[in-house]
């Protein structure tokens, strides 16, 4: 059964809107829903978010990866695990799959080692389903309006991240629902809800 789902994609794919609309639809269907976002979602995580995304910092790639993992461990322990324990559905805007794609693939640190670091911190609190909003890197880059430290780096990074997401989805077809990000939001939400119903 799907209890924790995460929306993923390159910058500009429209994850935040889909996560919000999906959470609203699941509430309308009678579920109690906890909505979170990464990086952030806790006071400590929001402070780490400022370090990660602020334009002034020159972060080493491993420092970056560890800070994402640290913010995520805090969110899993203090928000997501308690929400799941009280029976809520959790809808997350990004998850550790973002780190696999951006730090593992995009930065070239390696997906397996980034997975290990993150799963160590998460202690089993991992998404049951990943909704991958698929978009080509050029369109995403053009659609992104407010650029942070990572999304402002340029199109090459976005190409590598998009390729990493595709290979993650191919390697774990049971965990991924891959959706065309250019579809109307309502269609995307309906497709995801249909998959969740099927997997009940
Ligand atoms: P996000 O807040 O989702 O930004 P946006 O809504 O503009 O897409 O994420 C901020 C940036 O952080 C984005 O470029 C993706 C990046 N990121 C990583 O590189 N690794 C991670 O683990 C996460 C969660 C995000």
């Amino acid at each position: 059964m799907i209890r924790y789902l995460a929306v993923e994609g390159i910058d500009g794919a429209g994850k935040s809107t889909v996560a919000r609309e999906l959470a609203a639809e699941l509430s309308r269907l009678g579920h109690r829903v906890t909505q979170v976002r990464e990086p952030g979602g806790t006071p400590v995580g929001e402070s780490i978010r400022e370090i990660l995304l602020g334009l002034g910092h020159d972060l080493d790639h491993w420092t970056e990866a560890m800070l994402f993992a640290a913010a995520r461990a805090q969110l899993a322990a203090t928000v997501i695990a308690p929400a799941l324990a009280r029976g809520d559905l959790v809808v997350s805007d990004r998850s550790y799959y973002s780190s696999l794609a951006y730090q593992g693939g995009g930065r070239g640190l390696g997906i397996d080692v980034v997975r290990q670091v993150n799963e160590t911190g998460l202690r089993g609190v991992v998404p049951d389903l990943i909704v991958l909003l698929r978009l080509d890197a050029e369109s995403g880059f053009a659609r992104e309006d407010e650029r942070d430290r990572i999304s402002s780096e340029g199109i090459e990074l976005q190409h590598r991240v998009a390729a990493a997401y595709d290979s993650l989805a191919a390697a774990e077809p049971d965990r991924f629902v891959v959706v065309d990000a250019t579809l109307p939001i309502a269609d995307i939400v309906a497709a995801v809800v249909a998959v969740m119903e099927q997997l009940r």
Side-chain angles (χ1 to χ4, degrees), residues 6 14-15 24 36 42 50-51 60 62 73 84 90 93-94 102 117-118 125-126 130 144 153-154 162 170 177 181 193:
K15 293 166 295 80
V36 296
T42 64
E50 283 174 27
I51 301 174
D60 169 75
W62 265 112
L84 294 172
V90 174
D93 181 348
R94 296 198 182 277
Y102 281 80
V117 166
N118 276 275
V125 184
V126 298
I130 309 286
E144 183 76 354
E153 279 199 23
V177 185
V193 170

Side-chain angles (χ1 to χ4, degrees), residues 5 7 18 22 26 129 131-133 177 179 186-198:
L5 67 104
V7 184
V18 168
L22 193 53
L26 292 169
L129 191 74
V131 178
L132 174 58
L133 298 180
V177 185
V179 194
D187 293 2
I188 295 176
V189 168
V192 175
V193 170
V195 170
M196 291 181 72
E197 294 288 327
Q198 255 172 36

Side-chain angles (χ1 to χ4, degrees), residues 4 12 24 35 37 54 56 76 84 90-91 105 117 127 142 148-149 155 157 159 178-179:
Y4 171 10
Q35 218 194 318
R37 73 158 177 183
L84 294 172
V90 174
V91 175
V117 166
D148 53 52
R149 191 181 57 81
I155 191 81
L157 178 68
H159 274 295
V178 182
V179 194

Side-chain angles (χ1 to χ4, degrees), residues 34-50 52-53 68 70-83 90-94:
T34 292
Q35 218 194 318
V36 296
R37 73 158 177 183
E38 292 194 15
T42 64
V44 165
E46 293 294 330
S47 300
I48 295 175
R49 181 183 175 93
E50 283 174 27
L52 279 165
L53 301 182
F68 276 117
R72 178 169 296 129
Q74 183 73 7
L75 181 68
T78 65
V79 178
I80 299 178
V90 174
V91 175
S92 183
D93 181 348
R94 296 198 182 277

Side-chain angles (χ1 to χ4, degrees), residues 92-173:
S92 183
D93 181 348
R94 296 198 182 277
S95 71
Y96 81 112
Y97 278 77
S98 288
S99 282
L100 303 186
Y102 281 80
Q103 282 65 51
R107 299 299 200 196
L109 297 179
I111 287 179
D112 289 346
V113 67
V114 173
R115 186 189 286 276
Q116 261 172 32
V117 166
N118 276 275
E119 288 182 351
T120 301
L122 288 174
R123 290 155 286 175
V125 184
V126 298
D128 303 308
L129 191 74
I130 309 286
V131 178
L132 174 58
L133 298 180
R134 198 162 183 282
L135 187 69
D136 65 276
E138 278 80 13
S139 309
F141 203 64
R143 267 161 61 154
E144 183 76 354
D145 41 12
E146 279 175 37
R147 298 227 162 124
D148 53 52
R149 191 181 57 81
I150 293 176
S151 59
S152 64
E153 279 199 23
I155 191 81
E156 284 313 314
L157 178 68
Q158 299 298 323
H159 274 295
R160 289 196 296 275
V161 172
Y165 272 129
D166 284 348
S167 65
L168 287 164
E172 293 184 88

